[in-house]
PDB file of all heavy atoms in Angstrom:
ATOM      1  N   GLU U   6     -32.508 -88.088  -9.029  1.00 92.00           N
ATOM      2  CA  GLU U   6     -33.479 -88.995  -8.418  1.00 92.00           C
ATOM      3  C   GLU U   6     -34.340 -89.652  -9.506  1.00 92.00           C
ATOM      4  O   GLU U   6     -34.881 -88.993 -10.384  1.00 92.00           O
ATOM      5  CB  GLU U   6     -34.375 -88.234  -7.442  1.00 92.00           C
ATOM      6  CG  GLU U   6     -35.318 -89.134  -6.663  1.00 92.00           C
ATOM      7  CD  GLU U   6     -36.075 -88.369  -5.591  1.00 92.00           C
ATOM      8  OE1 GLU U   6     -35.709 -87.203  -5.320  1.00 92.00           O
ATOM      9  OE2 GLU U   6     -37.015 -88.937  -5.025  1.00 92.00           O
ATOM     10  N   GLY U   7     -34.462 -90.979  -9.439  1.00 92.00           N
ATOM     11  CA  GLY U   7     -35.258 -91.700 -10.420  1.00 92.00           C
ATOM     12  C   GLY U   7     -34.606 -91.852 -11.777  1.00 92.00           C
ATOM     13  O   GLY U   7     -35.269 -92.186 -12.762  1.00 92.00           O
ATOM     14  N   LEU U   8     -33.291 -91.656 -11.857  1.00 95.00           N
ATOM     15  CA  LEU U   8     -32.584 -91.771 -13.139  1.00 95.00           C
ATOM     16  C   LEU U   8     -32.794 -93.142 -13.782  1.00 95.00           C
ATOM     17  O   LEU U   8     -32.857 -93.259 -15.001  1.00 95.00           O
ATOM     18  CB  LEU U   8     -31.084 -91.522 -12.924  1.00 95.00           C
ATOM     19  CG  LEU U   8     -30.167 -91.677 -14.134  1.00 95.00           C
ATOM     20  CD1 LEU U   8     -30.491 -90.643 -15.198  1.00 95.00           C
ATOM     21  CD2 LEU U   8     -28.697 -91.567 -13.705  1.00 95.00           C
ATOM     22  N   ILE U   9     -32.923 -94.178 -12.968  1.00 96.00           N
ATOM     23  CA  ILE U   9     -33.107 -95.530 -13.504  1.00 96.00           C
ATOM     24  C   ILE U   9     -34.312 -95.594 -14.441  1.00 96.00           C
ATOM     25  O   ILE U   9     -34.290 -96.288 -15.454  1.00 96.00           O
ATOM     26  CB  ILE U   9     -33.246 -96.557 -12.349  1.00 96.00           C
ATOM     27  CG1 ILE U   9     -33.320 -97.985 -12.899  1.00 96.00           C
ATOM     28  CG2 ILE U   9     -34.445 -96.239 -11.461  1.00 96.00           C
ATOM     29  CD1 ILE U   9     -33.282 -99.048 -11.817  1.00 96.00           C
ATOM     30  N   HIS U  10     -35.368 -94.822 -14.140  1.00 95.00           N
ATOM     31  CA  HIS U  10     -36.568 -94.852 -14.974  1.00 95.00           C
ATOM     32  C   HIS U  10     -36.402 -94.016 -16.244  1.00 95.00           C
ATOM     33  O   HIS U  10     -36.955 -94.356 -17.294  1.00 95.00           O
ATOM     34  CB  HIS U  10     -37.774 -94.377 -14.167  1.00 95.00           C
ATOM     35  CG  HIS U  10     -37.983 -95.175 -12.917  1.00 95.00           C
ATOM     36  ND1 HIS U  10     -38.074 -96.552 -12.925  1.00 95.00           N
ATOM     37  CD2 HIS U  10     -38.068 -94.802 -11.611  1.00 95.00           C
ATOM     38  CE1 HIS U  10     -38.239 -96.989 -11.688  1.00 95.00           C
ATOM     39  NE2 HIS U  10     -38.226 -95.954 -10.885  1.00 95.00           N
ATOM     40  N   VAL U  11     -35.626 -92.944 -16.160  1.00 96.00           N
ATOM     41  CA  VAL U  11     -35.307 -92.162 -17.360  1.00 96.00           C
ATOM     42  C   VAL U  11     -34.520 -93.025 -18.340  1.00 96.00           C
ATOM     43  O   VAL U  11     -34.801 -93.056 -19.551  1.00 96.00           O
ATOM     44  CB  VAL U  11     -34.506 -90.901 -16.990  1.00 96.00           C
ATOM     45  CG1 VAL U  11     -34.031 -90.175 -18.256  1.00 96.00           C
ATOM     46  CG2 VAL U  11     -35.344 -89.960 -16.135  1.00 96.00           C
ATOM     47  N   VAL U  12     -33.537 -93.754 -17.828  1.00 96.00           N
ATOM     48  CA  VAL U  12     -32.721 -94.624 -18.675  1.00 96.00           C
ATOM     49  C   VAL U  12     -33.584 -95.713 -19.311  1.00 96.00           C
ATOM     50  O   VAL U  12     -33.426 -96.033 -20.496  1.00 96.00           O
ATOM     51  CB  VAL U  12     -31.572 -95.240 -17.860  1.00 96.00           C
ATOM     52  CG1 VAL U  12     -30.841 -96.309 -18.668  1.00 96.00           C
ATOM     53  CG2 VAL U  12     -30.586 -94.155 -17.433  1.00 96.00           C
ATOM     54  N   GLN U  13     -34.530 -96.272 -18.553  1.00 95.00           N
ATOM     55  CA  GLN U  13     -35.394 -97.304 -19.119  1.00 95.00           C
ATOM     56  C   GLN U  13     -36.267 -96.741 -20.241  1.00 95.00           C
ATOM     57  O   GLN U  13     -36.528 -97.419 -21.233  1.00 95.00           O
ATOM     58  CB  GLN U  13     -36.278 -97.914 -18.029  1.00 95.00           C
ATOM     59  CG  GLN U  13     -37.125 -99.088 -18.507  1.00 95.00           C
ATOM     60  CD  GLN U  13     -36.278-100.239 -19.044  1.00 95.00           C
ATOM     61  OE1 GLN U  13     -35.332-100.668 -18.378  1.00 95.00           O
ATOM     62  NE2 GLN U  13     -36.610-100.746 -20.224  1.00 95.00           N
ATOM     63  N   ARG U  14     -36.707 -95.498 -20.100  1.00 95.00           N
ATOM     64  CA  ARG U  14     -37.500 -94.877 -21.167  1.00 95.00           C
ATOM     65  C   ARG U  14     -36.677 -94.736 -22.446  1.00 95.00           C
ATOM     66  O   ARG U  14     -37.194 -94.920 -23.547  1.00 95.00           O
ATOM     67  CB  ARG U  14     -38.016 -93.516 -20.726  1.00 95.00           C
ATOM     68  CG  ARG U  14     -39.154 -93.586 -19.716  1.00 95.00           C
ATOM     69  CD  ARG U  14     -39.748 -92.219 -19.490  1.00 95.00           C
ATOM     70  NE  ARG U  14     -40.951 -92.282 -18.677  1.00 95.00           N
ATOM     71  CZ  ARG U  14     -41.832 -91.298 -18.559  1.00 95.00           C
ATOM     72  NH1 ARG U  14     -41.624 -90.162 -19.219  1.00 95.00           N
ATOM     73  NH2 ARG U  14     -42.902 -91.426 -17.810  1.00 95.00           N
ATOM     74  N   VAL U  15     -35.407 -94.408 -22.304  1.00 97.00           N
ATOM     75  CA  VAL U  15     -34.534 -94.322 -23.479  1.00 97.00           C
ATOM     76  C   VAL U  15     -34.381 -95.703 -24.110  1.00 97.00           C
ATOM     77  O   VAL U  15     -34.426 -95.847 -25.339  1.00 97.00           O
ATOM     78  CB  VAL U  15     -33.158 -93.741 -23.097  1.00 97.00           C
ATOM     79  CG1 VAL U  15     -32.221 -93.743 -24.304  1.00 97.00           C
ATOM     80  CG2 VAL U  15     -33.312 -92.314 -22.560  1.00 97.00           C
ATOM     81  N   ARG U  16     -34.209 -96.718 -23.282  1.00 96.00           N
ATOM     82  CA  ARG U  16     -34.101 -98.085 -23.790  1.00 96.00           C
ATOM     83  C   ARG U  16     -35.370 -98.489 -24.545  1.00 96.00           C
ATOM     84  O   ARG U  16     -35.306 -99.111 -25.605  1.00 96.00           O
ATOM     85  CB  ARG U  16     -33.826 -99.066 -22.649  1.00 96.00           C
ATOM     86  CG  ARG U  16     -32.517 -98.822 -21.894  1.00 96.00           C
ATOM     87  CD  ARG U  16     -32.248 -99.926 -20.878  1.00 96.00           C
ATOM     88  NE  ARG U  16     -32.021-101.186 -21.566  1.00 96.00           N
ATOM     89  CZ  ARG U  16     -30.847-101.583 -22.047  1.00 96.00           C
ATOM     90  NH1 ARG U  16     -29.776-100.810 -21.892  1.00 96.00           N
ATOM     91  NH2 ARG U  16     -30.720-102.752 -22.665  1.00 96.00           N
ATOM     92  N   ASP U  17     -36.531 -98.143 -23.988  1.00 94.00           N
ATOM     93  CA  ASP U  17     -37.797 -98.450 -24.659  1.00 94.00           C
ATOM     94  C   ASP U  17     -37.898 -97.725 -26.001  1.00 94.00           C
ATOM     95  O   ASP U  17     -38.322 -98.298 -27.009  1.00 94.00           O
ATOM     96  CB  ASP U  17     -38.980 -98.044 -23.777  1.00 94.00           C
ATOM     97  CG  ASP U  17     -39.107 -98.904 -22.530  1.00 94.00           C
ATOM     98  OD1 ASP U  17     -38.535-100.003 -22.498  1.00 94.00           O
ATOM     99  OD2 ASP U  17     -39.779 -98.462 -21.576  1.00 94.00           O
ATOM    100  N   LEU U  18     -37.517 -96.453 -26.009  1.00 96.00           N
ATOM    101  CA  LEU U  18     -37.594 -95.647 -27.227  1.00 96.00           C
ATOM    102  C   LEU U  18     -36.753 -96.244 -28.346  1.00 96.00           C
ATOM    103  O   LEU U  18     -37.179 -96.305 -29.503  1.00 96.00           O
ATOM    104  CB  LEU U  18     -37.127 -94.218 -26.930  1.00 96.00           C
ATOM    105  CG  LEU U  18     -37.124 -93.229 -28.090  1.00 96.00           C
ATOM    106  CD1 LEU U  18     -38.539 -92.795 -28.423  1.00 96.00           C
ATOM    107  CD2 LEU U  18     -36.255 -92.021 -27.764  1.00 96.00           C
ATOM    108  N   LEU U  19     -35.551 -96.708 -28.000  1.00 96.00           N
ATOM    109  CA  LEU U  19     -34.617 -97.212 -28.998  1.00 96.00           C
ATOM    110  C   LEU U  19     -34.748 -98.709 -29.239  1.00 96.00           C
ATOM    111  O   LEU U  19     -34.051 -99.263 -30.098  1.00 96.00           O
ATOM    112  CB  LEU U  19     -33.179 -96.873 -28.572  1.00 96.00           C
ATOM    113  CG  LEU U  19     -32.872 -95.379 -28.422  1.00 96.00           C
ATOM    114  CD1 LEU U  19     -31.451 -95.184 -27.912  1.00 96.00           C
ATOM    115  CD2 LEU U  19     -33.075 -94.643 -29.741  1.00 96.00           C
ATOM    116  N   GLY U  20     -35.604 -99.377 -28.470  1.00 94.00           N
ATOM    117  CA  GLY U  20     -35.806-100.812 -28.659  1.00 94.00           C
ATOM    118  C   GLY U  20     -34.618-101.655 -28.247  1.00 94.00           C
ATOM    119  O   GLY U  20     -34.382-102.726 -28.821  1.00 94.00           O
ATOM    120  N   LEU U  21     -33.860-101.225 -27.251  1.00 93.00           N
ATOM    121  CA  LEU U  21     -32.665-101.973 -26.856  1.00 93.00           C
ATOM    122  C   LEU U  21     -32.996-103.311 -26.207  1.00 93.00           C
ATOM    123  O   LEU U  21     -32.176-104.227 -26.219  1.00 93.00           O
ATOM    124  CB  LEU U  21     -31.814-101.129 -25.889  1.00 93.00           C
ATOM    125  CG  LEU U  21     -31.181 -99.872 -26.478  1.00 93.00           C
ATOM    126  CD1 LEU U  21     -30.342 -99.162 -25.439  1.00 93.00           C
ATOM    127  CD2 LEU U  21     -30.334-100.214 -27.692  1.00 93.00           C
ATOM    128  N   ASP U  22     -34.174-103.433 -25.612  1.00 89.00           N
ATOM    129  CA  ASP U  22     -34.558-104.693 -24.965  1.00 89.00           C
ATOM    130  C   ASP U  22     -35.451-105.555 -25.841  1.00 89.00           C
ATOM    131  O   ASP U  22     -35.582-106.760 -25.608  1.00 89.00           O
ATOM    132  CB  ASP U  22     -35.282-104.403 -23.643  1.00 89.00           C
ATOM    133  CG  ASP U  22     -34.402-103.671 -22.650  1.00 89.00           C
ATOM    134  OD1 ASP U  22     -33.219-104.036 -22.529  1.00 89.00           O
ATOM    135  OD2 ASP U  22     -34.886-102.722 -22.003  1.00 89.00           O
ATOM    136  N   THR U  23     -36.074-104.971 -26.837  1.00 85.00           N
ATOM    137  CA  THR U  23     -37.056-105.698 -27.638  1.00 85.00           C
ATOM    138  C   THR U  23     -36.664-105.845 -29.099  1.00 85.00           C
ATOM    139  O   THR U  23     -37.234-106.673 -29.809  1.00 85.00           O
ATOM    140  CB  THR U  23     -38.420-104.988 -27.586  1.00 85.00           C
ATOM    141  OG1 THR U  23     -38.280-103.677 -28.165  1.00 85.00           O
ATOM    142  CG2 THR U  23     -38.913-104.856 -26.158  1.00 85.00           C
ATOM    143  N   GLY U  24     -35.717-105.032 -29.557  1.00 83.00           N
ATOM    144  CA  GLY U  24     -35.347-105.044 -30.963  1.00 83.00           C
ATOM    145  C   GLY U  24     -36.261-104.214 -31.844  1.00 83.00           C
ATOM    146  O   GLY U  24     -36.025-104.080 -33.044  1.00 83.00           O
ATOM    147  N   GLU U  25     -37.305-103.651 -31.244  1.00 88.00           N
ATOM    148  CA  GLU U  25     -38.253-102.819 -31.980  1.00 88.00           C
ATOM    149  C   GLU U  25     -38.306-101.432 -31.369  1.00 88.00           C
ATOM    150  O   GLU U  25     -38.457-101.288 -30.161  1.00 88.00           O
ATOM    151  CB  GLU U  25     -39.655-103.439 -31.940  1.00 88.00           C
ATOM    152  CG  GLU U  25     -39.785-104.782 -32.620  1.00 88.00           C
ATOM    153  CD  GLU U  25     -39.693-104.654 -34.132  1.00 88.00           C
ATOM    154  OE1 GLU U  25     -40.024-103.565 -34.646  1.00 88.00           O
ATOM    155  OE2 GLU U  25     -39.313-105.617 -34.785  1.00 88.00           O
ATOM    156  N   PRO U  26     -38.183-100.364 -32.188  1.00 90.00           N
ATOM    157  CA  PRO U  26     -38.264 -99.011 -31.631  1.00 90.00           C
ATOM    158  C   PRO U  26     -39.636 -98.761 -31.037  1.00 90.00           C
ATOM    159  O   PRO U  26     -40.652 -99.239 -31.554  1.00 90.00           O
ATOM    160  CB  PRO U  26     -38.006 -98.104 -32.843  1.00 90.00           C
ATOM    161  CG  PRO U  26     -38.355 -98.945 -34.032  1.00 90.00           C
ATOM    162  CD  PRO U  26     -38.009-100.350 -33.658  1.00 90.00           C
ATOM    163  N   GLY U  27     -39.672 -98.040 -29.939  1.00 92.00           N
ATOM    164  CA  GLY U  27     -40.925 -97.762 -29.261  1.00 92.00           C
ATOM    165  C   GLY U  27     -41.141 -96.284 -29.057  1.00 92.00           C
ATOM    166  O   GLY U  27     -40.833 -95.473 -29.932  1.00 92.00           O
ATOM    167  N   ALA U  28     -41.645 -95.933 -27.885  1.00 93.00           N
ATOM    168  CA  ALA U  28     -41.927 -94.539 -27.553  1.00 93.00           C
ATOM    169  C   ALA U  28     -41.262 -94.205 -26.227  1.00 93.00           C
ATOM    170  O   ALA U  28     -40.938 -95.085 -25.434  1.00 93.00           O
ATOM    171  CB  ALA U  28     -43.431 -94.303 -27.465  1.00 93.00           C
ATOM    172  N   PHE U  29     -41.079 -92.920 -26.000  1.00 95.00           N
ATOM    173  CA  PHE U  29     -40.446 -92.493 -24.751  1.00 95.00           C
ATOM    174  C   PHE U  29     -41.362 -92.711 -23.559  1.00 95.00           C
ATOM    175  O   PHE U  29     -40.892 -92.925 -22.453  1.00 95.00           O
ATOM    176  CB  PHE U  29     -40.049 -91.019 -24.864  1.00 95.00           C
ATOM    177  CG  PHE U  29     -39.191 -90.556 -23.723  1.00 95.00           C
ATOM    178  CD1 PHE U  29     -37.886 -90.998 -23.595  1.00 95.00           C
ATOM    179  CD2 PHE U  29     -39.697 -89.684 -22.768  1.00 95.00           C
ATOM    180  CE1 PHE U  29     -37.091 -90.582 -22.535  1.00 95.00           C
ATOM    181  CE2 PHE U  29     -38.914 -89.260 -21.706  1.00 95.00           C
ATOM    182  CZ  PHE U  29     -37.605 -89.715 -21.592  1.00 95.00           C
ATOM    183  N   SER U  30     -42.663 -92.652 -23.769  1.00 93.00           N
ATOM    184  CA  SER U  30     -43.618 -92.898 -22.687  1.00 93.00           C
ATOM    185  C   SER U  30     -44.950 -93.332 -23.295  1.00 93.00           C
ATOM    186  O   SER U  30     -45.239 -93.005 -24.458  1.00 93.00           O
ATOM    187  CB  SER U  30     -43.831 -91.641 -21.841  1.00 93.00           C
ATOM    188  OG  SER U  30     -44.561 -90.666 -22.567  1.00 93.00           O
ATOM    189  N   PRO U  31     -45.779 -94.056 -22.544  1.00 92.00           N
ATOM    190  CA  PRO U  31     -47.102 -94.421 -23.060  1.00 92.00           C
ATOM    191  C   PRO U  31     -47.937 -93.205 -23.438  1.00 92.00           C
ATOM    192  O   PRO U  31     -48.654 -93.219 -24.443  1.00 92.00           O
ATOM    193  CB  PRO U  31     -47.729 -95.199 -21.894  1.00 92.00           C
ATOM    194  CG  PRO U  31     -46.566 -95.736 -21.130  1.00 92.00           C
ATOM    195  CD  PRO U  31     -45.505 -94.678 -21.240  1.00 92.00           C
ATOM    196  N   PHE U  32     -47.838 -92.133 -22.639  1.00 93.00           N
ATOM    197  CA  PHE U  32     -48.606 -90.933 -22.949  1.00 93.00           C
ATOM    198  C   PHE U  32     -48.187 -90.342 -24.282  1.00 93.00           C
ATOM    199  O   PHE U  32     -49.014 -90.008 -25.136  1.00 93.00           O
ATOM    200  CB  PHE U  32     -48.436 -89.903 -21.833  1.00 93.00           C
ATOM    201  CG  PHE U  32     -49.100 -88.584 -22.134  1.00 93.00           C
ATOM    202  CD1 PHE U  32     -50.469 -88.443 -22.045  1.00 93.00           C
ATOM    203  CD2 PHE U  32     -48.347 -87.484 -22.535  1.00 93.00           C
ATOM    204  CE1 PHE U  32     -51.089 -87.233 -22.342  1.00 93.00           C
ATOM    205  CE2 PHE U  32     -48.944 -86.274 -22.827  1.00 93.00           C
ATOM    206  CZ  PHE U  32     -50.329 -86.150 -22.727  1.00 93.00           C
ATOM    207  N   GLU U  33     -46.883 -90.206 -24.487  1.00 94.00           N
ATOM    208  CA  GLU U  33     -46.388 -89.648 -25.744  1.00 94.00           C
ATOM    209  C   GLU U  33     -46.817 -90.514 -26.924  1.00 94.00           C
ATOM    210  O   GLU U  33     -47.191 -89.988 -27.989  1.00 94.00           O
ATOM    211  CB  GLU U  33     -44.867 -89.537 -25.686  1.00 94.00           C
ATOM    212  CG  GLU U  33     -44.251 -88.730 -26.809  1.00 94.00           C
ATOM    213  CD  GLU U  33     -42.789 -88.440 -26.560  1.00 94.00           C
ATOM    214  OE1 GLU U  33     -42.476 -87.661 -25.641  1.00 94.00           O
ATOM    215  OE2 GLU U  33     -41.940 -89.014 -27.266  1.00 94.00           O
ATOM    216  N   ALA U  34     -46.793 -91.843 -26.745  1.00 94.00           N
ATOM    217  CA  ALA U  34     -47.208 -92.750 -27.819  1.00 94.00           C
ATOM    218  C   ALA U  34     -48.673 -92.540 -28.183  1.00 94.00           C
ATOM    219  O   ALA U  34     -49.042 -92.529 -29.363  1.00 94.00           O
ATOM    220  CB  ALA U  34     -46.969 -94.198 -27.399  1.00 94.00           C
ATOM    221  N   ARG U  35     -49.515 -92.344 -27.170  1.00 92.00           N
ATOM    222  CA  ARG U  35     -50.935 -92.155 -27.430  1.00 92.00           C
ATOM    223  C   ARG U  35     -51.203 -90.831 -28.135  1.00 92.00           C
ATOM    224  O   ARG U  35     -52.097 -90.741 -28.987  1.00 92.00           O
ATOM    225  CB  ARG U  35     -51.717 -92.223 -26.116  1.00 92.00           C
ATOM    226  CG  ARG U  35     -51.761 -93.609 -25.486  1.00 92.00           C
ATOM    227  CD  ARG U  35     -52.669 -94.550 -26.257  1.00 92.00           C
ATOM    228  NE  ARG U  35     -54.036 -94.063 -26.306  1.00 92.00           N
ATOM    229  CZ  ARG U  35     -54.923 -94.244 -25.341  1.00 92.00           C
ATOM    230  NH1 ARG U  35     -54.583 -94.886 -24.227  1.00 92.00           N
ATOM    231  NH2 ARG U  35     -56.152 -93.778 -25.472  1.00 92.00           N
ATOM    232  N   VAL U  36     -50.440 -89.806 -27.794  1.00 93.00           N
ATOM    233  CA  VAL U  36     -50.612 -88.517 -28.470  1.00 93.00           C
ATOM    234  C   VAL U  36     -50.231 -88.638 -29.943  1.00 93.00           C
ATOM    235  O   VAL U  36     -50.941 -88.153 -30.830  1.00 93.00           O
ATOM    236  CB  VAL U  36     -49.770 -87.423 -27.778  1.00 93.00           C
ATOM    237  CG1 VAL U  36     -49.805 -86.133 -28.595  1.00 93.00           C
ATOM    238  CG2 VAL U  36     -50.270 -87.167 -26.367  1.00 93.00           C
ATOM    239  N   VAL U  37     -49.095 -89.290 -30.208  1.00 92.00           N
ATOM    240  CA  VAL U  37     -48.661 -89.484 -31.596  1.00 92.00           C
ATOM    241  C   VAL U  37     -49.719 -90.271 -32.363  1.00 92.00           C
ATOM    242  O   VAL U  37     -50.051 -89.947 -33.514  1.00 92.00           O
ATOM    243  CB  VAL U  37     -47.302 -90.208 -31.640  1.00 92.00           C
ATOM    244  CG1 VAL U  37     -46.937 -90.569 -33.075  1.00 92.00           C
ATOM    245  CG2 VAL U  37     -46.214 -89.332 -31.025  1.00 92.00           C
ATOM    246  N   GLU U  38     -50.265 -91.293 -31.722  1.00 91.00           N
ATOM    247  CA  GLU U  38     -51.315 -92.085 -32.365  1.00 91.00           C
ATOM    248  C   GLU U  38     -52.563 -91.246 -32.627  1.00 91.00           C
ATOM    249  O   GLU U  38     -53.206 -91.361 -33.676  1.00 91.00           O
ATOM    250  CB  GLU U  38     -51.672 -93.281 -31.480  1.00 91.00           C
ATOM    251  CG  GLU U  38     -52.755 -94.185 -32.049  1.00 91.00           C
ATOM    252  CD  GLU U  38     -53.125 -95.314 -31.102  1.00 91.00           C
ATOM    253  OE1 GLU U  38     -52.592 -95.348 -29.972  1.00 91.00           O
ATOM    254  OE2 GLU U  38     -53.956 -96.151 -31.480  1.00 91.00           O
ATOM    255  N   ALA U  39     -52.903 -90.372 -31.664  1.00 89.00           N
ATOM    256  CA  ALA U  39     -54.121 -89.568 -31.797  1.00 89.00           C
ATOM    257  C   ALA U  39     -54.059 -88.619 -32.982  1.00 89.00           C
ATOM    258  O   ALA U  39     -55.084 -88.325 -33.603  1.00 89.00           O
ATOM    259  CB  ALA U  39     -54.371 -88.785 -30.505  1.00 89.00           C
ATOM    260  N   VAL U  40     -52.864 -88.128 -33.304  1.00 88.00           N
ATOM    261  CA  VAL U  40     -52.729 -87.219 -34.449  1.00 88.00           C
ATOM    262  C   VAL U  40     -52.235 -87.969 -35.688  1.00 88.00           C
ATOM    263  O   VAL U  40     -51.784 -87.354 -36.656  1.00 88.00           O
ATOM    264  CB  VAL U  40     -51.801 -86.027 -34.132  1.00 88.00           C
ATOM    265  CG1 VAL U  40     -52.357 -85.223 -32.989  1.00 88.00           C
ATOM    266  CG2 VAL U  40     -50.382 -86.487 -33.840  1.00 88.00           C
TER     267      VAL U  40
END
């Protein structure tokens, strides 16, 4: 259930839609930034 959103998170992480690597989730990105 909700696999479509898991797949989109992988796409965001690897930058498949933007050409730039990103993060698996906004929360995870903020934690990495915080440390």
